[in-house]
C-alpha cells in the first residue's frame, strides 16, 4: 500500500491513529456499499416477474407485507452503534490533537500571502522551512497577517487554520528524521498553490546545534525581541508610570489573570485578549482606566505582536514561579 502511495508516509505519533480511523470509516463504507449493491442485484434476479407466478392482471391487488419488528430494530441499532464508534473514536483523536502536552516546544507561526514565517522561542527565524526535533512534541502558535491559511503536513496528519486576528494551535511529534512537504490547505489567493515548504525533522542533538546556529547576527529570543518592541513603541510611558500618574494598568503579572472590565464583567488575560488590547484597545477597557490608549494596528506586525505578548508573559510573577 505504501509503495502505491495511497497514503503519505507516517511520520508523527498521531499518524497511525488518524489512519486507523480513516481505514475503519473506509471499511464500513465499502462493506455497506457492497452489501446494498449486492442485495439489489440478488433481489432483482430472485424476485423478478415470472409468467404465471405473480398476478398478471393490473387490477389484481398485490400482496400486502407486514413490517418485521426484529429487522427494523436490527438495522437501526447496528448503524447507530457503528456511528457512535466513529464519533467517540474521532472525538478522542480530535481531543488529543487539540491538547498539546505541557512540555511541548513552542514555535510561532505567521501565515502571509504567500509564505509561512516561523520563529522559535530561542529566536531563530525561518521562512517556508520548519526545523523540529524528533521525539518531542512541538506546539505551533499560529495566526495570519492577511487572510485564512491552513497549515498542512500530510506526513504528520496535521492540519490547522491560521486565522487573522486570532491565535490557533496545533501540535505534533515527529517520529523519524526526514523532510516532509508542508502545504497551505486553504485557498488564499493567486499564489496559494505556491505556498509550500517543508518540515525538517532532526535528531534532538542536531536540532539543538541547528537552533544555536544562525544565518547572520545573533538570535534574539522571542521575549527579548518583544521587549525591544515594547521600548520602541513607547509602552513604558503609560504602563510603567513613575509617581502616581498611572495612565495605564501595570502589565507585570497580568498574563493569565482575570481582568475586571469597565461596565462590569471580566476577561482572562490570555494571548487573544492581550493581542486585542494592543490592536483595538477600546474593545475591552480595564475597569478604572480612561479610554486613551491609541491603536497599534498597522504599527506592529503579527510577529511583533507575538513577541510583545511573550514579553508581557515573561513579566508575570506567576509564570516565573511556574518555570522554577
Ligand atoms: Cu495560504 Cu493557501
Amino acid at each position: 500500500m505504501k509503495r502505491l502511495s495511497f497514503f503519505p508516509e507516517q511520520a508523527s505519533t498521531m499518524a497511525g491513529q488518524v489512519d486507523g480511523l480513516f481505514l475503519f470509516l473506509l471499511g464500513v463504507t465499502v462493506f455497506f456499499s457492497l452489501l446494498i449493491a449486492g442485495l439489489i442485484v440478488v433481489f432483482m434476479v430472485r424476485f423478478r416477474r415470472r409468467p404465471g407466478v405473480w398476478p398478471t392482471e393490473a387490477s389484481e391487488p398485490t400482496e400486502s407485507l407486514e413490517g418485521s419488528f426484529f429487522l427494523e430494530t436490527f438495522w437501526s441499532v447496528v448503524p447507530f452503534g457503528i456511528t457512535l464508534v466513529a464519533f467517540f473514536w474521532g472525538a478522542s483523536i480530535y481531543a488529543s490533537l487539540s491538547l498539546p502536552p505541557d512540555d511541548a516546544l513552542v514555535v510561532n507561526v505567521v501565515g502571509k500571502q504567500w509564505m509561512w514565517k516561523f520563529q522559535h522561542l530561542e529566536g531563530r527565524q525561518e521562512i517556508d522551512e520548519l526545523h523540529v526535533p524528533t521525539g518531542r512534541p512541538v506546539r505551533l502558535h499560529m495566526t495570519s497577517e492577511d487572510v485564512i491559511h491552513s497549515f498542512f503536513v500530510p506526513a504528520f496528519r496535521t492540519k490547522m487554520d491560521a486565522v487573522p486576528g486570532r491565535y490557533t494551535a496545533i501540535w505534533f511529534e515527529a517520529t523519524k528524521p526526514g523532510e516532509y512537504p508542508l502545504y497551505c490547505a486553504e485557498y488564499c489567493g493567486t499564489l496559494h498553490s505556491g505556498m509550500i515548504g517543508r518540515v525538517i525533522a532532526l535528531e534532538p542533538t542536531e536540532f539543538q546545534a541547528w537552533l544555536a546556529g544562525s544565518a547572520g547576527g545573533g538570535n534574539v529570543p522571542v521575549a527579548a525581541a518583544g521587549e525591544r518592541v515594547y521600548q520602541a513603541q513607547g509602552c513604558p510611558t503609560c504602563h510603567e508610570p513613575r509617581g502616581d500618574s498611572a495612565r495605564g494598568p501595570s502589565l507585570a503579572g497580568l498574563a493569565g489573570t482575570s481582568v475586571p472590565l469597565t461596565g462590569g464583567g471580566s476577561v482572562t488575560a490570555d494571548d487573544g485578549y492581550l493581542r486585542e488590547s494592543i490592536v483595538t484597545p477600546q474593545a475591552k477597557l480595564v475597569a478604572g482606566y480612561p479610554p486613551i490608549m491609541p491603536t497599534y494596528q498597522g504599527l506592529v506586525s503579527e510577529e511583533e505582536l507575538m513577541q510583545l505578548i511573550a514579553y508581557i508573559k515573561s513579566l508575570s510573577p506567576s509564570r516565573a514561579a511556574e518555570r522554577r
Side-chain angles (χ1 to χ4, degrees), residues 43-64:
F43 289 166
M44 270 163 58
V45 175
R46 173 121 193 254
F47 299 111
R48 72 184 186 280
R49 187 165 159 176
R50 298 187 181 91
V53 175
W54 275 8
T56 46
E57 296 294 323
S59 58
E60 274 185 69
T62 50
E63 250 181 295
S64 170

Side-chain angles (χ1 to χ4, degrees), residues 4 33 69 80 91 104 119 121 127 157 170 184 200 211 221 227 231 271 281 308 317 320:
L4 287 170
S33 301
F69 180 75
F80 180 65
Q119 184 169 27
L121 290 192
I127 288 178
R157 312 295 189 272
I170 189 84
C184 174
I200 298 151
L211 201 59
E227 185 175 8
Q231 297 292 347
D271 287 23
L308 258 179

Side-chain angles (χ1 to χ4, degrees), residues 52-292:
V53 175
W54 275 8
T56 46
E57 296 294 323
S59 58
E60 274 185 69
T62 50
E63 250 181 295
S64 170
L65 293 175
E66 296 294 319
S68 159
F69 180 75
F70 170 76
L71 266 181
E72 298 279 357
T73 310
F74 177 75
W75 64 45
S76 298
V77 168
V78 169
F80 180 65
I82 293 173
T83 46
L84 276 190
V85 168
F87 171 74
F88 283 109
W89 192 347
S92 109
I93 291 180
Y94 182 83
S96 10
L97 283 173
S98 308
L99 299 169
D102 288 337
D103 61 336
L105 203 73
V106 178
V107 180
N108 288 345
V109 183
V110 177
K112 179 180 188 257
Q113 284 171 328
W114 288 276
M115 63 179 83
W116 291 106
K117 298 197 277 189
F118 303 99
Q119 184 169 27
H120 299 261
L121 290 192
E122 289 79 359
R124 186 132 192 203
Q125 290 176 286
E126 35 187 350
I127 288 178
D128 288 342
E129 272 192 353
L130 171 61
H131 287 73
V132 294
T134 55
R136 171 136 190 227
V138 175
R139 179 164 71 90
L140 303 181
H141 179 54
M142 301 200 291
T143 191
S144 164
E145 201 146 323
D146 34 46
V147 298
I148 301 176
H149 303 277
S150 183
F151 183 94
F152 182 33
V153 183
F156 296 166
R157 312 295 189 272
T158 291
K159 187 196 268 176
M160 178 53 79
D161 282 2
V163 184
R166 176 188 300 195
Y167 293 118
T168 55
I170 189 84
W171 75 276
F172 57 79
E173 182 178 328
T175 48
K176 47 186 174 182
E179 284 189 23
Y180 308 103
L182 157 66
Y183 299 101
C184 174
E186 182 75 54
Y187 182 69
C188 56
T190 50
L191 290 182
H192 156 70
S193 63
M195 194 167 162
I196 49 180
R198 56 195 180 138
V199 177
I200 298 151
L202 299 172
E203 297 283 2
T205 47
E206 282 179 60
F207 175 74
Q208 283 310 325
W210 176 86
L211 201 59
S214 168
N219 293 319
V220 181
V222 169
E227 185 175 8
R228 287 185 188 176
V229 180
Y230 179 81
Q231 297 292 347
Q233 294 292 342
C235 310
T237 317
C238 295
H239 290 285
E240 290 173 26
R242 289 173 196 89
D244 334 302
S245 59
R247 276 186 287 180
S250 167
L251 303 179
L254 168 67
T257 59
S258 176
V259 179
L261 300 176
T262 302
S266 65
V267 65
T268 303
D270 57 9
D271 287 23
Y273 169 73
L274 293 175
R275 185 189 177 282
E276 182 186 63
S277 297
I278 299 167
V279 175
T280 47
Q282 321 298 338
K284 296 193 183 79
L285 278 175
V286 180
Y289 291 92
I292 52 171

